[in-house]
Amino acid sequence: MTEEEVPNTTFLKSVVIILGILIIGVAAAIGVILYKRATATPQAEAAQAAEAPLAVSQTLSVVQRKFGDIDIKAPEGMSAIGVTISDDRLLVIYGTDQATPKVVVILSQKSGEEIGRIRL
């Protein structure tokens, strides 16, 4: 009987080992990312978002003195009759009395910037 020559599989073995290491590394990275997102606290996210306040344009009716202290100028002859929060926006409702709202001012909670007005 004749003996057959066995092919050299060293290259294939090294490729399989390298791919196995890469698969384990990616799976570990995904696990770490998921763990960090699952254990993140809302306070830490809010602190990161509040680190750099945005500047407010001088042409707007909102003037920012310091971060967290904002003056909102009411339309003439009207007073605030309601405040509502929607996502990252603050809606201030102005009117001459409680029964007749006239203007809704929309402000950004992050910067204090006036986004727009709705006249009713």
Side-chain angles (χ1 to χ4, degrees):
M1 296 233 154
T2 62
E3 288 188 29
E4 291 186 24
E5 213 175 286
V6 178
N8 189 0
T9 59
T10 308
F11 175 73
L12 289 176
K13 287 180 184 179
S14 61
V15 168
V16 169
I17 290 171
I18 290 171
L19 288 175
I21 291 171
L22 287 175
I23 289 171
I24 292 171
V26 169
I30 291 172
V32 169
I33 291 169
L34 289 176
Y35 175 77
K36 285 184 178 182
R37 286 188 182 178
T39 59
T41 60
Q43 291 85 11
E45 293 172 4
Q48 289 175 353
E51 285 179 8
L54 301 174
V56 178
S57 173
Q58 295 299 325
T59 61
L60 301 173
S61 66
V62 177
V63 180
Q64 185 171 355
R65 291 185 195 160
K66 61 181 182 178
F67 185 68
D69 188 12
I70 299 170
D71 288 332
I72 304 171
K73 295 182 181 176
E76 288 189 33
M78 296 183 203
S79 61
I81 58 174
V83 177
T84 306
I85 296 174
S86 174
D87 294 330
D88 66 337
R89 292 179 170 84
L90 181 70
L91 307 172
V92 183
I93 303 166
Y94 291 97
T96 52
D97 58 13
Q98 286 289 88
T100 56
K102 299 285 184 183
V103 177
V104 177
V105 177
I106 304 165
L107 304 167
S108 170
Q109 287 186 10
K110 292 180 182 175
S111 66
E113 178 181 2
E114 181 177 325
I115 298 171
R117 290 180 177 222
I118 301 172
R119 289 180 177 82
L120 304 173

